[in-house]
Amino acid sequence: MAGMYAVYHGPKGLKKIAKRIHLNAAKLEKKLVDLGLSQLNEYYFDTLKININAQAIRTEAEKNEINFHYIDKETVGIAINETTDEVALLKILNVFEAVVRQKNINGKVKIENHRYPIDQKRRSPYLTHQVFNSFHSETAMMRYIKRLERKDLSLNHSMISLGSCTMKLNAAAEMLPLSWPRWSSIHPFVPKEQAKGYHKMLRRLEDQLSEITGFHATSLQPNSGAQGEYSGLMVIRAYHKSRGEAHRNICLIPSSAHGTNPASAVMAGMEVVVVKTDELGNIDWSDFSEKTEEHRENLAALMITYPSTHGVFEANIKDITGKIHACGGQVYMDGANMNAQVGLTSPAEIGADVCHLNLHKTFAIPHGGGGPGVGPICVAAHLADFLPQHPVVETGGKASKDTISAAPWGSALACLISYGYIEMLGGSGLKKATEMAILNANYISKRLEGAYDILYTGEKGRTAHELIIDCRPFKKYDIEVVDIAKRLMDYGFHAPTVSFPVAGTMMIEPTESENLEEIDRFCDAMISIRMEIDSGEEAGIALLKNAPHTLAMLTADDWNFPYSRQRAAYPLAFVMDNKFWPAVRRLDEAFGDRNLICSCTSIEDYAKA
Ligand SMILES: *Cc1c(COP(=O)(O)O)cnc(C)c1O
């Protein structure tokens, strides 16, 4: 949204908006000064600081449904933005007039000088890219957004089986309230009594999440799973410290963990010790015992994902959590895989002390493109006092010193989606969703048997809510896992998660939201790709190597490939009906991630300047 705001207004539009905001702030200052008040900011862009009895202003302002920032007893902060129009300015002025019992009788004011240091005025160009200088009418903007949308293989086209990401339905009924101004136009710092409905919803959601995880208390403050990890580890640190054990700083993490786990541990000031996993995908018990004993004195925590990132319910999970507790450590459960637990088991049940939930995975908030995420943490009773607090709005644990986000309840608006999801499904519905998610994964596992090796299954030959298929055996045909991922686009499917947590594999998570027909189409595509590989003929391998096939490629005058255009574009009958056209062929995979490319001007240009 922020990006599109810049695209729509462009550099000229943004400057015009900024000038108007500044002018309105200066006008208001002039009028208030005319009333005999002092404005305390030497320089400002949009924010005034007025010296006046704050309580008197507050009483008058609240009568008029206006909130200011009450900095202290004698100081009131006023921030002007692009929605503050002439009417609003007048209303603000009236509040101050009522308190000083005076009317500003000067008419229009003329502002000549700006109120920021002139040497800080920007002179260099900005937003020079064409995209910020092209779409300034609603028609043009609408078409631009649609054009981008067409390039995106999203859930409105077909199943996205990204393992560990839980790409489930984001139901319209859950998302509707986000566009209601009564939810979307409230500032996170408004007095509690002005947002009673919000607080009721947030409290209920906290209680629901506590109940689902079996824990005592929940904080909605973290804005992502990774931020939840960080908050949870800070809670663990504060807990150790409160018991005079601040030296505990070792965090055990299995080698299969998501990359955010060690990153969060390091950010929380812990030292990471990696624990091996065995060939079945479980924690290697002897390595685990050894390292736990070795670090017994300084053990802070174990971070563990359950069911594991290998998609399996680890059978001896309680032995693992028990051993950590026996050594004085705490157990952090990464809750990204909660879609396999809700209603069936819980983090508290397996012996964890704290977990995060990804509400943008398990609890139906849409994700992709970076947000908005909600990554609450839920904790056992002994940790509740250390939940994140907030310096402006009262929330969190009694003994807490840490604040994780700017807003006291993080992405509060997006919480409505999860709240709606939980309320509408109820306990039995949530449990059924979990059962369906596990059933769907196991159905795929059985259908793909023979075509692909399923890498890990538990003692009973089953997976949890996702499965990992091994693509390494195809290396002998020169086929890599990415070739399969690219070819899936020709069949109209987004690739599953590639090379996590095991390089050369795919992790498939169908979720409960897909019906049997869609799951069967996906399996048909995967089996058909396997047959292309297996045919052993040059054409089959080339089909994968050249995938995805774009419209430009297929309609070009020359065609030099050892297979037909039809086979490339419509490999199965159902694709005819619902064709997705990939917009580009291949970019160079991870090359750009591994090779820094300098996009600045050349040294010669600098020399000349
Ligand atoms: C997604 C995920 C995370 C990180 O969550 P974000 O919300 O993306 O920050 C952590 N661990 C696992 C296993 C995950 O799948």
Side-chain angles (χ1 to χ4, degrees):
M1 274 195 260
M4 288 301 167
Y5 182 85
V7 167
Y8 185 60
H9 294 293
K12 284 194 201 122
L14 288 186
K15 194 164 192 170
K16 201 166 145 194
I17 292 169
K19 277 184 164 167
R20 200 176 68 235
I21 292 170
H22 187 59
L23 185 70
N24 280 340
K27 271 192 201 164
L28 185 62
E29 178 192 38
K30 179 89 173 56
K31 300 236 173 197
L32 293 174
V33 169
D34 281 354
L35 290 177
L37 297 168
S38 20
Q39 197 288 113
L40 304 175
N41 283 332
E42 186 186 355
Y43 296 118
Y44 60 82
F45 166 61
D46 61 356
T47 306
L48 308 178
K49 232 159 106 179
I50 307 297
N51 177 235
I52 193 166
N53 180 337
Q55 188 51 53
I57 290 290
R58 181 172 188 156
T59 309
E60 187 63 26
E62 287 182 4
K63 262 195 262 165
N64 290 284
E65 304 194 335
I66 295 175
N67 289 314
F68 295 122
H69 180 200
Y70 305 106
I71 300 167
D72 57 41
K73 281 190 180 138
E74 300 284 303
T75 325
V76 175
I78 309 173
I80 304 295
N81 64 38
E82 66 264 53
T83 67
T84 320
D85 57 10
E86 293 288 332
V87 178
L89 286 174
L90 195 61
K91 275 175 79 179
I92 296 171
L93 184 64
N94 289 343
V95 169
F96 285 80
E97 286 174 341
V99 171
V100 300
R101 295 173 196 282
Q102 238 193 86
K103 274 274 173 200
N104 186 316
I105 41 154
N106 303 335
K108 272 199 161 26
V109 293
K110 211 166 151 130
I111 303 295
E112 265 131 29
N113 296 319
H114 25 67
R115 303 290 197 275
Y116 48 83
I118 191 66
D119 58 331
Q120 285 177 24
K121 193 179 156 91
R122 179 167 194 154
R123 294 194 168 78
S124 55
Y126 58 99
L127 299 181
T128 52
H129 192 280
Q130 190 194 337
V131 83
F132 299 114
N133 295 280
S134 305
F135 312 108
H136 305 315
S137 75
E138 186 167 342
T139 312
M141 186 71 189
M142 169 183 74
R143 289 180 187 147
Y144 172 61
I145 294 173
K146 179 68 189 171
R147 210 168 84 201
L148 292 181
E149 195 246 305
R150 268 200 303 266
K151 295 184 182 181
D152 198 5
L153 208 177
S154 65
L155 274 174
N156 64 10
H157 183 92
S158 58
M159 160 167 151
I160 298 184
S161 58
L162 280 170
S164 209
C165 293
T166 312
M167 301 292 288
K168 64 169 66 182
L169 170 73
N170 319 116
E174 293 152 11
M175 308 232 279
L176 269 178
L178 272 69
S179 59
W180 299 345
R182 280 170 180 255
W183 293 109
S184 65
S185 298
I186 296 183
H187 192 281
F189 296 171
V190 297
K192 272 192 178 175
E193 60 279 9
Q194 288 180 26
K196 284 189 183 152
Y198 238 117
H199 285 288
K200 192 168 170 182
M201 181 274 289
L202 294 172
R203 236 184 352 260
R204 272 197 68 110
L205 179 61
E206 285 172 3
D207 291 347
Q208 287 162 341
L209 298 178
S210 296
E211 189 182 340
I212 286 168
T213 53
F215 281 138
H216 181 78
T218 294
S219 166
L220 295 167
Q221 199 174 101
N223 285 308
S224 73
Q227 214 187 9
E229 291 167 21
Y230 172 73
S231 332
L233 293 174
M234 293 302 278
V235 165
I236 290 176
R237 265 186 52 163
Y239 168 74
H240 285 315
K241 197 169 166 207
S242 75
R243 292 158 43 98
E245 302 204 318
H247 62 279
R248 290 190 173 271
N249 72 332
I250 299 290
C251 187
L252 299 181
I253 301 181
S255 61
S256 58
H258 193 267
T260 50
N261 288 191
S264 303
V266 170
M267 277 185 69
M270 295 184 181
E271 196 181 306
V272 175
V273 173
V274 177
V275 178
K276 286 186 200 148
T277 46
D278 64 19
E279 70 279 8
L280 296 173
N282 295 319
I283 282 191
D284 180 326
W285 180 259
S286 74
D287 189 55
F288 167 73
S289 308
E290 215 170 274
K291 288 186 168 142
T292 310
E293 289 298 340
E294 187 189 332
H295 297 287
R296 195 181 182 101
E297 296 306 316
N298 293 319
L299 187 64
L302 164 75
M303 288 186 96
I304 187 165
T305 308
Y306 186 79
S308 74
T309 46
H310 290 140
V312 179
F313 287 104
E314 208 139 62
N316 64 345
I317 183 72
K318 285 188 174 174
D319 299 333
I320 294 171
T321 56
K323 178 137 186 93
I324 293 292
H325 287 142
C327 295
Q330 292 283 293
V331 177
Y332 182 98
M333 195 205 84
D334 179 328
N337 290 342
M338 269 306 278
N339 215 40
Q341 280 198 49
V342 179
L344 299 182
T345 178
S346 75
E349 171 63 33
I350 63 164
D353 301 288
V354 41
C355 72
H356 77 253
L357 300 173
N358 306 66
L359 298 193
H360 47 289
K361 292 178 180 173
T362 316
F363 295 93
I365 296 176
H367 60 134
V374 183
I377 51 171
C378 311
V379 298
H382 64 284
L383 296 179
D385 280 352
F386 306 102
L387 284 174
Q389 51 106 22
H390 194 274
V392 181
V393 182
E394 197 191 324
T395 184
K398 287 198 291 289
S400 170
K401 294 195 179 61
D402 295 313
T403 303
I404 300 302
S405 307
W409 289 275
S411 306
L413 182 63
C415 285
L416 279 166
I417 303 170
S418 299
Y419 174 70
Y421 174 81
I422 294 171
E423 283 286 335
M424 285 191 279
L425 281 181
S428 61
L430 289 171
K431 182 163 169 234
K432 188 160 181 214
T434 310
E435 289 166 346
M436 286 306 298
I438 296 175
L439 181 64
N440 284 349
N442 280 282
Y443 176 81
I444 293 178
S445 161
K446 290 294 160 207
R447 269 216 63 195
L448 295 187
E449 226 170 55
Y452 297 90
D453 293 337
I454 314 300
L455 205 50
Y456 302 109
T457 50
E459 287 162 10
K460 298 192 172 135
R462 298 266 162 77
T463 69
H465 65 313
E466 58 194 358
L467 60 139
I468 297 178
I469 60 168
D470 198 351
C471 302
R472 292 169 298 189
F474 311 130
K475 277 183 196 288
K476 62 173 180 276
Y477 304 111
D478 191 31
I479 294 293
E480 301 288 337
V481 64
V482 293
D483 299 319
I484 300 174
K486 302 293 179 191
R487 182 65 176 143
L488 262 176
M489 275 192 247
D490 289 334
Y491 286 82
F493 286 104
H494 194 292
T497 298
V498 164
S499 288
F500 172 80
V502 185
T505 67
M506 271 184 175
M507 183 155 61
I508 304 168
E509 178 182 2
T511 82
E512 72 278 13
S513 306
E514 299 300 339
N515 62 25
L516 187 58
E517 290 73 18
E518 181 72 356
I519 289 176
D520 273 333
R521 279 189 290 271
F522 175 77
C523 293
D524 290 346
M526 290 300 293
I527 292 166
S528 172
I529 290 174
R530 177 63 217 263
M531 279 162 25
E532 290 171 354
I533 299 173
D534 239 15
S535 65
E537 37 155 358
E538 186 203 345
I541 303 299
L543 269 168
L544 271 83
K545 281 288 171 196
N546 291 318
H549 296 82
T550 59
L551 198 51
M553 180 185 182
L554 287 156
T555 52
D557 284 341
D558 29 282
W559 180 257
N560 298 319
F561 301 103
Y563 47 82
S564 70
R565 288 177 160 105
Q566 166 113 12
R567 215 177 144 197
Y570 300 105
L572 287 174
F574 73 79
V575 187
M576 281 279 185
D577 235 17
N578 189 24
K579 178 65 188 169
F580 175 80
W581 292 108
V584 287
R585 291 190 63 197
R586 294 191 188 199
L587 300 179
D588 204 348
E589 303 304 333
F591 183 87
D593 296 345
R594 291 186 181 144
N595 299 276
L596 293 180
I597 296 162
C598 182
S599 60
C600 35
T601 32
S602 69
I603 282 289
E604 289 77 14
D605 289 344
Y606 276 109
K608 254 188 251 157

